Amino acid sequence: MKAVQRAATALRAPSVRDVERAREIVEETGVFRSDEIAIAEEVFREAVDHPGKDYYALGAFEDDQLVGFTCFGPTPCTVATWDLYWIAVHPDTHRSGIGRRLMQAAERAIQTHGGRLVVVETASRPDYAPTRAFYAALDYRQAARISEYYAPGDDLVVYVKHLHSTPEGAVHNG
Protein backbone atom coordinates (compact mmCIF):
# COMPACT_ATOMS: atom_id res chain seq x y z
CA MET A 1 0.00 0.00 0.00
CA LYS A 2 1.38 3.36 -1.02
CA ALA A 3 1.60 6.12 1.63
CA VAL A 4 -0.51 9.20 1.02
CA GLN A 5 1.58 12.33 0.56
CA ARG A 6 0.36 15.20 2.76
CA ALA A 7 0.34 18.76 1.52
CA ALA A 8 2.84 21.10 3.12
CA THR A 9 1.41 22.79 6.19
CA ALA A 10 1.82 26.55 6.49
CA LEU A 11 1.28 28.41 9.75
CA ARG A 12 -0.13 31.93 9.52
CA ALA A 13 -2.74 34.26 10.92
CA PRO A 14 -6.22 33.15 9.88
CA SER A 15 -8.81 35.54 8.47
CA VAL A 16 -12.54 36.06 8.76
CA ARG A 17 -13.05 33.71 5.80
CA ASP A 18 -11.76 30.88 8.04
CA VAL A 19 -14.38 31.28 10.79
CA GLU A 20 -16.81 28.68 9.45
CA ARG A 21 -14.00 26.19 8.84
CA ALA A 22 -12.74 26.71 12.41
CA ARG A 23 -16.23 25.88 13.66
CA GLU A 24 -16.28 22.74 11.49
CA ILE A 25 -12.94 21.62 12.90
CA VAL A 26 -14.15 22.04 16.48
CA GLU A 27 -17.38 20.17 15.69
CA GLU A 28 -15.60 17.32 13.92
CA THR A 29 -13.26 16.62 16.83
CA GLY A 30 -16.31 15.14 18.50
CA VAL A 31 -15.40 16.16 22.05
CA PHE A 32 -17.03 19.58 22.44
CA ARG A 33 -20.61 20.35 23.48
CA SER A 34 -22.66 22.77 21.36
CA ASP A 35 -22.15 25.62 23.86
CA GLU A 36 -18.39 25.05 23.75
CA ILE A 37 -18.43 25.08 19.94
CA ALA A 38 -20.23 28.44 19.98
CA ILE A 39 -17.61 29.87 22.38
CA ALA A 40 -14.76 28.55 20.21
CA GLU A 41 -16.29 30.26 17.19
CA GLU A 42 -16.78 33.50 19.15
CA VAL A 43 -13.16 33.57 20.39
CA PHE A 44 -11.80 32.68 16.94
CA ARG A 45 -13.92 35.39 15.30
CA GLU A 46 -12.79 37.99 17.86
CA ALA A 47 -9.16 36.98 17.31
CA VAL A 48 -9.39 37.42 13.54
CA ASP A 49 -11.57 40.55 13.68
CA HIS A 50 -9.41 42.32 16.29
CA PRO A 51 -6.02 40.57 16.51
CA GLY A 52 -4.27 41.30 19.78
CA LYS A 53 -7.15 43.12 21.44
CA ASP A 54 -7.98 40.17 23.70
CA TYR A 55 -6.92 37.17 21.64
CA TYR A 56 -4.45 36.06 19.02
CA ALA A 57 -5.10 33.26 16.54
CA LEU A 58 -2.75 31.13 14.52
CA GLY A 59 -3.90 28.77 11.79
CA ALA A 60 -2.41 25.72 10.13
CA PHE A 61 -3.22 25.53 6.43
CA GLU A 62 -2.86 22.79 3.84
CA ASP A 63 -3.58 23.82 0.26
CA ASP A 64 -4.93 27.10 1.65
CA GLN A 65 -7.54 25.28 3.76
CA LEU A 66 -7.55 25.63 7.55
CA VAL A 67 -6.80 22.26 9.16
CA GLY A 68 -6.06 23.45 12.70
CA PHE A 69 -5.86 26.55 14.83
CA THR A 70 -5.03 27.92 18.23
CA CYS A 71 -6.32 30.97 20.10
CA PHE A 72 -4.41 32.46 22.99
CA GLY A 73 -4.10 35.73 24.82
CA PRO A 74 -2.71 37.56 27.83
CA THR A 75 -4.47 36.90 31.11
CA PRO A 76 -5.84 40.17 32.51
CA CYS A 77 -4.42 41.43 35.82
CA THR A 78 -1.35 39.17 35.71
CA VAL A 79 2.33 39.76 35.14
CA ALA A 80 2.99 38.14 31.76
CA THR A 81 0.71 35.11 32.15
CA TRP A 82 -1.09 33.94 29.02
CA ASP A 83 -4.00 31.58 28.49
CA LEU A 84 -4.29 29.04 25.72
CA TYR A 85 -8.00 29.30 24.98
CA TRP A 86 -8.35 26.83 22.12
CA ILE A 87 -6.38 24.43 20.05
CA ALA A 88 -8.15 22.19 17.57
CA VAL A 89 -6.86 20.11 14.69
CA HIS A 90 -9.10 18.41 12.16
CA PRO A 91 -9.33 14.67 12.93
CA ASP A 92 -8.03 13.79 9.44
CA THR A 93 -4.72 15.44 10.36
CA HIS A 94 -4.34 14.15 13.94
CA ARG A 95 -0.92 12.72 14.79
CA SER A 96 0.73 14.57 11.89
CA GLY A 97 2.58 17.10 14.07
CA ILE A 98 0.26 20.01 13.30
CA GLY A 99 -0.86 20.42 16.91
CA ARG A 100 2.74 20.40 18.12
CA ARG A 101 3.73 23.00 15.52
CA LEU A 102 0.78 25.21 16.47
CA MET A 103 1.68 25.01 20.17
CA GLN A 104 5.35 25.76 19.54
CA ALA A 105 4.46 28.74 17.33
CA ALA A 106 1.98 30.01 19.93
CA GLU A 107 4.66 29.74 22.63
CA ARG A 108 7.11 31.71 20.47
CA ALA A 109 4.46 34.39 19.87
CA ILE A 110 3.73 34.55 23.60
CA GLN A 111 7.45 34.93 24.33
CA THR A 112 7.72 37.65 21.68
CA HIS A 113 4.98 39.54 23.52
CA GLY A 114 6.79 39.15 26.85
CA GLY A 115 4.86 36.15 28.17
CA ARG A 116 6.45 34.03 30.88
CA LEU A 117 3.75 31.49 31.76
CA VAL A 118 1.17 29.62 29.67
CA VAL A 119 -1.95 28.23 31.35
CA VAL A 120 -4.13 25.58 29.71
CA GLU A 121 -7.45 24.34 31.06
CA THR A 122 -8.88 21.03 29.91
CA ALA A 123 -11.26 18.30 30.97
CA SER A 124 -10.71 15.04 32.82
CA ARG A 125 -13.14 12.96 30.75
CA PRO A 126 -11.72 9.78 29.21
CA ASP A 127 -12.13 11.19 25.68
CA TYR A 128 -9.72 13.97 26.67
CA ALA A 129 -6.91 11.53 27.60
CA PRO A 130 -5.10 12.12 24.27
CA THR A 131 -5.35 15.88 24.85
CA ARG A 132 -3.82 15.60 28.32
CA ALA A 133 -1.06 13.35 26.96
CA PHE A 134 -0.41 15.95 24.23
CA TYR A 135 0.18 18.70 26.80
CA ALA A 136 2.39 16.45 28.91
CA ALA A 137 4.47 15.55 25.83
CA LEU A 138 5.02 19.29 25.27
CA ASP A 139 6.40 19.70 28.82
CA TYR A 140 3.26 21.16 30.34
CA ARG A 141 2.80 20.02 33.92
CA GLN A 142 -0.46 19.48 35.72
CA ALA A 143 -0.72 22.29 38.28
CA ALA A 144 -4.29 21.94 39.55
CA ARG A 145 -7.44 19.92 39.39
CA ILE A 146 -10.92 21.01 40.46
CA SER A 147 -13.32 18.15 41.01
CA GLU A 148 -16.54 18.11 38.98
CA TYR A 149 -15.89 21.61 37.60
CA TYR A 150 -17.42 21.12 34.14
CA ALA A 151 -20.04 18.56 35.14
CA PRO A 152 -20.46 15.64 37.53
CA GLY A 153 -17.50 13.36 36.87
CA ASP A 154 -15.70 15.92 34.68
CA ASP A 155 -12.91 17.74 36.50
CA LEU A 156 -11.05 20.83 35.37
CA VAL A 157 -7.39 19.97 34.81
CA VAL A 158 -4.99 22.91 34.64
CA TYR A 159 -1.61 22.60 32.93
CA VAL A 160 1.15 25.21 32.98
CA LYS A 161 4.43 25.80 31.21
CA HIS A 162 7.02 28.39 32.17
CA LEU A 163 8.67 30.20 29.28
CA HIS A 164 11.73 32.46 29.47
CA SER A 165 11.55 35.33 31.95
CA THR A 166 10.21 38.70 30.87
CA PRO A 167 11.12 42.26 31.74
CA GLU A 168 9.87 43.31 35.14
CA GLY A 169 6.61 45.18 35.08
CA ALA A 170 5.09 43.47 32.03
CA VAL A 171 1.58 43.66 33.48
CA HIS A 172 -1.57 42.90 31.51
CA ASN A 173 -4.31 45.40 32.12
CA GLY A 174 -7.83 44.20 31.75
Side-chain angles (χ1 to χ4, degrees):
M1 179 179 234
K2 191 175 181 182
V4 176
Q5 182 70 22
R6 296 199 59 84
T9 304
L11 301 183
R12 68 173 187 267
S15 70
V16 71
R17 72 179 181 84
D18 300 309
V19 172
E20 183 57 36
R21 177 64 176 160
R23 181 184 180 87
E24 290 171 9
I25 290 169
V26 173
E27 287 174 341
E28 291 183 28
T29 65
V31 297
F32 299 109
R33 298 182 318 256
S34 61
D35 59 325
E36 294 171 312
I37 294 166
I39 295 295
E41 181 180 3
E42 179 183 323
V43 170
F44 185 88
R45 181 178 295 282
E46 185 65 25
V48 298
D49 284 348
H50 307 285
K53 180 176 181 267
D54 293 314
Y55 310 108
Y56 294 84
L58 183 62
F61 294 83
E62 289 184 355
D63 294 327
D64 207 36
Q65 180 174 21
L66 186 72
V67 295
F69 70 91
T70 183
C71 294
F72 51 95
T75 309
C77 301
T78 67
V79 177
T81 299
W82 286 59
D83 283 301
L84 177 76
Y85 293 106
W86 290 94
I87 183 166
V89 175
H90 193 279
D92 290 347
T93 60
H94 281 182
R95 305 202 56 79
S96 65
I98 291 171
R100 176 179 292 273
R101 287 186 59 207
L102 281 167
M103 286 295 292
Q104 291 169 338
E107 289 171 5
R108 284 191 302 273
I110 290 167
Q111 287 176 310
T112 297
H113 287 90
R116 65 172 180 82
L117 178 68
V118 181
V119 177
V120 178
E121 297 179 358
T122 194
S124 69
R125 294 187 335 239
D127 55 343
Y128 274 77
T131 301
R132 293 188 304 275
F134 170 75
Y135 293 127
L138 293 174
D139 298 324
Y140 283 76
R141 70 171 180 78
Q142 184 178 322
R145 188 177 188 119
I146 301 174
S147 179
E148 299 192 337
Y149 180 85
Y150 292 110
D154 189 8
D155 303 348
L156 164 68
V157 184
V158 179
Y159 288 88
V160 298
K161 184 173 184 178
H162 290 271
L163 305 176
H164 71 73
S165 57
T166 60
E168 198 168 324
V171 176
H172 301 305
N173 296 318

